[in-house]
């Protein structure tokens, strides 16, 4: 019934299935050219008026959008540059377009390099300690150019593929001596990036503590590049990382703040212009902070929703969601494989599917405070339930404390966002009030301490949770059926839910048994270190030659392996750096 009323959603699903089909099958260019002709023929057929075609028009539209997804993904899949001969060590000229997260050794940037006559889309690694790079200069330096390597094993994160989806083929390591020259070809985007960069520097010069400054940069200006690893871990473990990242909540709050101010000055009969100006403002804000993926998704969805309002049509969340997906994926089909894209759209679907049923179990919302409080709780719970399977699939961890943390923190999120926005506005205008800075610093420090306290509740934190595609689909089906149980607690609905839960347990048990029957011996590389591991059943042992970076080895090697191979117990042992070979069951493993 619901799908019959949602043609846009059905067509969006067909379009997405076409993208996934091309991703898996990889049709050739000649086949795609034939598909273009087929799509044109389908368009002509759909345009004809006849009784028979009217009956199958919905099917023809579905096929058309499916093949459209295949065609667009073909043209958005970047070809390899293997034919380009690029010297590994040479002098390059480069410019940056985006700052990335800083590591212990390097500051990372995204940009374009010119090596000889070849332009290379690259990630640049600049040693810490030097001057920060900006967006209004060209830079020249000695560089070491390399291609991202594919992972050794299937359980490791494929960083090369991740960069390829962003049309990046190279990693370039820059020497400390960098020459610069001012650019004379600045675009509007470059000027906006530079102005944002200047505001970030001004924030650094305020008297607030370091963690508060980095929090302010992240929550308003979408710059989380300098946030310390401990703070990021606290947000991840407490399930509040969405609060720190610019998302739909931030855009809605900023839109609402601007709209609230406008309606105080615009007459009632011109109220629609307040909506239009507020939409213009959030798009200007999105351009200012760099049109990040999550920001762009939120702005498109909010704009479509209010276009329905301006056209005096009943706003439909699923229509807005489907149109947003079309606009984003037609611009870049690779966005479908972005984890943020998937989580944000699933969160909206979860709110649509579960929010109203959950509200029926709360007391009557007979005043503004109750309405805000209860809706905040149900919206947060709905979004968490909908994204729960993918969180397990991608990150293999979950904390039950995140539910409580969201109930405590999210109701105050609007006030924090508004206060942070005003602080950023003051800084950008060169206005500094020590009292206001002190109050803001105190509030954020208190907030970070509360979040850290939630993150410290390890008893409710679970990691290394194995999850494959079949298990994810079965959990999604559980969440789908949960709505009917909430709406009507009947025997039929309960039995349907129990059946799917049992199916999930059977699938999971079967996967565990299958994986635990395997034995495996691997030699993995992490930097200059070699890690030798032996898996027997649901146990594994790792021998490490250098334990100085044990934390990183746990994060990038041990935990992903345990999640992929369904390891319940593991131990780590030291191995002498002088050991060059290991003999196990008459097989020699090289460690050098």
């Amino acid at each position: 019934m619901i799908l019959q009323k949602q043609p846009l959603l059905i067509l969006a699903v067909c379009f997405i299935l076409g993208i996934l089909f091309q991703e898996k099958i990889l049709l050739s260019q000649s086949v795609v050219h034939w598909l273009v002709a087929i799509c044109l023929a389908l368009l002509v057929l759909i345009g004809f008026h006849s009784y028979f075609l009217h009956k199958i028009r919905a099917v023809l539209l579905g096929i058309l959008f499916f093949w459209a997804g295949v065609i667009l993904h073909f043209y958005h899949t970047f070809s390899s540059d293997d034919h380009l001969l690029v010297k590994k060590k040479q002098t390059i000229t480069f410019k940056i377009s985006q700052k990335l997260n800083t590591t212990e050794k390097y500051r990372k940037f995204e940009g374009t390099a010119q090596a000889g006559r070849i332009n290379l889309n690259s990630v640049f690694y600049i040693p810490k300690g030097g001057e920060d790079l900006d967006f209004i200069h060209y830079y020249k330096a000695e560089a070491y150019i390399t291609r991202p390597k594919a992972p050794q094993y299937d359980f490791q994160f494929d960083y090369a593929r991740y960069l390829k989806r962003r049309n990046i083929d190279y990693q370039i390591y820059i020497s400390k001596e960098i020459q610069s020259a001012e650019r004379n070809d600045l675009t509007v985007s470059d000027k906006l990036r530079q102005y944002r960069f200047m505001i970030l520097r001004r924030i650094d010069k305020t008297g607030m503590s370091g963690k508060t400054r980095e929090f302010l940069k992240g929550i308003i200006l979408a710059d989380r590049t300098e946030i310390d690893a401990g703070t990021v871990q606290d947000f991840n473990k407490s399930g509040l990382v969405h609060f720190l990242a610019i998302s739909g909540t931030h855009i809605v709050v900023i839109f609402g703040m601007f709209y609230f101010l406008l309606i105080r000055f615009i007459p009632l009969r011109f109220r629609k212009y307040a909506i239009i100006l507020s939409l213009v403002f959030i798009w200007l804000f999105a351009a200012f902070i760099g049109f990040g993926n999550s920001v762009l998704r939120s702005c498109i969805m909010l704009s479509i929703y209010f276009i329905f309002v301006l056209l005096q049509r009943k706003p439909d969340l699923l229509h807005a969601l489907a149109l947003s997906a079309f606009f984003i994926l037609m611009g870049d089909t690779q966005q479908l494989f972005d984890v943020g894209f998937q989580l944000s759209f699933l969160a909206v679907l979860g709110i649509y599917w579960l929010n109203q049923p959950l509200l029926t179990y709360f007391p009557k919302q007979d005043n503004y405070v109750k309405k805000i409080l209860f809706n905040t709780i149900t919206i947060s719970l709905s979004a968490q339930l909908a994204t729960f399977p993918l969180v397990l699939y991608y990150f293999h961890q979950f904390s039950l404390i995140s539910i409580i943390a969201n109930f405590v923190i999210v109701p105050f999120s609007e006030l924090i966002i508004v206060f942070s926005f005003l602080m950023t506005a003051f800084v950008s205008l060169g206005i500094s009030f020590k009292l206001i800075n002190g109050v803001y610093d105190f509030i954020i420090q208190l907030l970070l301490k509360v979040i850290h306290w939630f993150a410290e509740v390890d008893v409710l934190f679970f990691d290394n949770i194995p999850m494959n595609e079949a298990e994810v689909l079965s959990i999604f089906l559980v969440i789908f059926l949960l709505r009917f149980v909430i709406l009507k607690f009947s025997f039929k609905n309960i039995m349907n839910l129990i059946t799917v839960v049992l199916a999930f347990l059977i699938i999971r048990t079967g996967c565990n048994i299958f994986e635990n029957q395997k034995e495996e011996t691997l030699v993995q590389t992490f930097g200059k270190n070699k890690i030798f591991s032996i898996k027997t059943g649901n146990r594994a042992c790792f021998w490490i030659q250098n334990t100085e970076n044990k934390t990183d080895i746990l994060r990038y090697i041990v935990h992903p392996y345990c999640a992929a191979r369904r390891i319940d117990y593991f131990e780590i042992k030291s191995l002498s750096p002088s050991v060059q070979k290991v003999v196990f069951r008459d097989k020699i493993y090289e460690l050098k």
Side-chain angles (χ1 to χ4, degrees), residues 184-196:
N184 57 5
D185 59 348
L186 292 176
T187 63
V188 175
S189 297
D190 293 326
K191 292 177 181 178
L192 285 173
R193 293 190 191 106
Q194 183 63 20
Y195 183 62
R196 173 173 169 265

Side-chain angles (χ1 to χ4, degrees), residues 525-529:
T525 302
F526 184 78
K528 297 181 180 180
N529 297 328

Side-chain angles (χ1 to χ4, degrees), residues 172-191:
I172 299 180
Y173 294 83
I174 304 294
S175 64
K176 284 188 176 182
E177 295 183 5
I178 302 175
Q179 302 175 18
S180 63
E182 193 167 344
R183 293 173 55 185
N184 57 5
D185 59 348
L186 292 176
T187 63
V188 175
S189 297
D190 293 326
K191 292 177 181 178

Side-chain angles (χ1 to χ4, degrees), residues 14 29 46 80 132 211 234 242 263 380 389 407 413 415 422 446 454 484 531 559 581:
C14 293
Q29 187 173 9
I46 292 169
S80 177
D132 206 0
K211 288 188 176 182
D234 287 346
H242 62 87
I263 60 176
S380 176
F407 288 166
S413 61
L415 296 175
L422 293 174
L446 181 61
F454 280 121
F484 303 104
I531 297 98
H559 288 166
K581 297 179 181 180

Side-chain angles (χ1 to χ4, degrees), residues 96 109 131-137 139 194 197 201:
I96 64 170
F109 300 89
E131 184 180 351
D132 206 0
L133 307 187
D134 59 33
F135 303 94
I136 59 174
H137 286 86
Y139 298 96
Q194 183 63 20
F197 177 72
R201 282 187 167 180

Side-chain angles (χ1 to χ4, degrees), residues 27-147:
L27 299 180
S28 65
Q29 187 173 9
S30 59
V31 175
V32 171
H33 287 166
W34 277 104
L35 289 179
V36 173
I38 292 172
C39 287
L40 292 174
L42 286 173
L43 277 174
V44 173
L45 281 175
I46 292 169
F48 279 117
H49 294 282
S50 71
Y51 177 78
F52 174 71
L53 289 175
H54 177 73
K55 286 291 185 181
I56 64 169
R57 185 167 294 162
V59 177
L60 292 177
L61 277 171
I63 295 172
L64 175 64
F65 275 81
F66 177 85
W67 291 124
V70 171
I71 294 167
L72 277 177
H73 191 54
F74 172 82
Y75 287 108
H76 284 133
T77 301
F78 308 108
S79 59
S80 177
D81 293 330
D82 287 333
H83 63 282
L84 297 178
L85 298 176
V86 180
K87 294 180 181 179
K88 287 189 174 182
K89 291 184 178 181
Q90 61 176 299
T91 301
I92 63 167
T93 301
F94 66 97
K95 62 179 179 179
I96 64 170
S97 59
Q98 184 179 351
K99 187 178 180 181
L100 305 177
N101 290 340
T102 301
T103 66
E104 292 183 3
K105 294 182 179 179
Y106 299 101
R107 288 178 289 123
K108 293 167 56 180
F109 300 89
E110 186 178 313
T112 306
Q114 186 171 3
R117 296 182 179 180
I118 303 172
N119 289 326
L120 309 176
N121 293 329
S122 311
V123 173
F124 299 95
Y125 295 79
I126 314 294
K128 279 187 173 181
E131 184 180 351
D132 206 0
L133 307 187
D134 59 33
F135 303 94
I136 59 174
H137 286 86
Y138 281 111
Y139 298 96
K140 187 176 182 180
E142 292 291 327
Y144 178 79
I145 304 172
T146 183
R147 279 183 172 274

